[in-house]
């Protein structure tokens, strides 16, 4: 199985809407690190699983929606707690729509909200 990953950083804001969220219930920022990993068993005729430049462009386009924004104000989080888990799913689904993916069979998006905590969403293609 081949795997290709691309990472990007962004800053976005949110506040948690769960009962008793503590300080996380106040508006705050995270310096998120987003990693997209694509995997598949076969390479194309040029020896690529994917074109890394295309993956970078699709991820940049996806993340531009969230950069310097408050997630609670975005329609995809309306009525939802904007957890890092939900954020990973939204980024994954939007990345898949933005990217041109033929060879990979699987994609995962891992989002680090700090140096010690992350969440991952993965799906077959």
């Amino acid at each position: 199985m081949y795997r290709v990953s691309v990472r990007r950083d962004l800053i976005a804001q949110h506040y948690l809407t769960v009962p008793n969220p503590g300080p996380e219930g106040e508006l705050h920022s995270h310096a998120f690190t987003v990693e997209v990993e694509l995997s598949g068993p076969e390479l194309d005729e040029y020896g690529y699983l994917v074109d890394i430049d295309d993956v970078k462009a699709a991820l940049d386009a996806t993340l531009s929606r969230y950069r310097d924004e408050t997630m609670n104000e975005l329609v995809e989080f309306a009525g939802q707690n904007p957890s890092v888990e939900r954020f990973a799913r939204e980024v994954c689904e939007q990345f898949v729509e933005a990217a041109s993916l033929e060879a990979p069979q699987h994609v995962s998006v891992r989002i680090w909200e700090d140096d010690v905590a992350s969440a991952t969403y993965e799906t077959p293609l």
Side-chain angles (χ1 to χ4, degrees):
M1 186 72 65
Y2 297 96
R3 297 185 191 285
V4 173
S5 299
V6 172
R7 285 187 184 184
R8 288 291 194 248
D9 296 321
L10 78 144
I11 295 174
Q13 295 72 233
H14 72 163
Y15 54 90
L16 301 183
T17 59
V18 297
N20 305 312
E24 296 289 315
E26 300 295 322
L27 181 64
H28 61 281
S29 296
H30 286 283
F32 291 105
T33 299
V34 178
E35 181 178 30
V36 170
E37 182 178 88
L38 300 152
S39 60
E42 301 293 329
L43 302 179
D44 69 12
E45 64 183 295
Y46 304 108
Y48 296 139
L49 177 67
V50 292
D51 183 318
I52 290 175
D53 289 334
D54 290 346
V55 173
K56 289 177 187 177
L59 184 56
D60 288 343
T62 299
L63 296 181
S64 68
R65 173 161 178 71
Y66 302 101
R67 197 172 304 282
D68 301 317
E69 295 293 332
T70 300
M71 289 188 280
N72 302 70
E73 297 173 357
L74 300 174
V75 67
E76 57 267 37
F77 294 105
Q80 303 289 323
N81 184 44
S83 64
V84 68
E85 294 91 341
R86 282 200 172 104
F87 190 27
R89 181 177 181 160
E90 288 297 331
V91 169
C92 186
E93 290 174 352
Q94 291 180 34
F95 170 79
V96 168
E97 287 182 26
S100 175
L101 303 172
E102 295 177 21
Q105 294 182 348
H106 187 265
V107 62
S108 68
V109 171
R110 184 173 194 174
I111 300 182
W112 292 87
E113 69 175 14
D114 57 29
D115 292 339
V116 297
S118 70
T120 302
Y121 181 80
E122 54 188 64
T123 188
L125 296 170

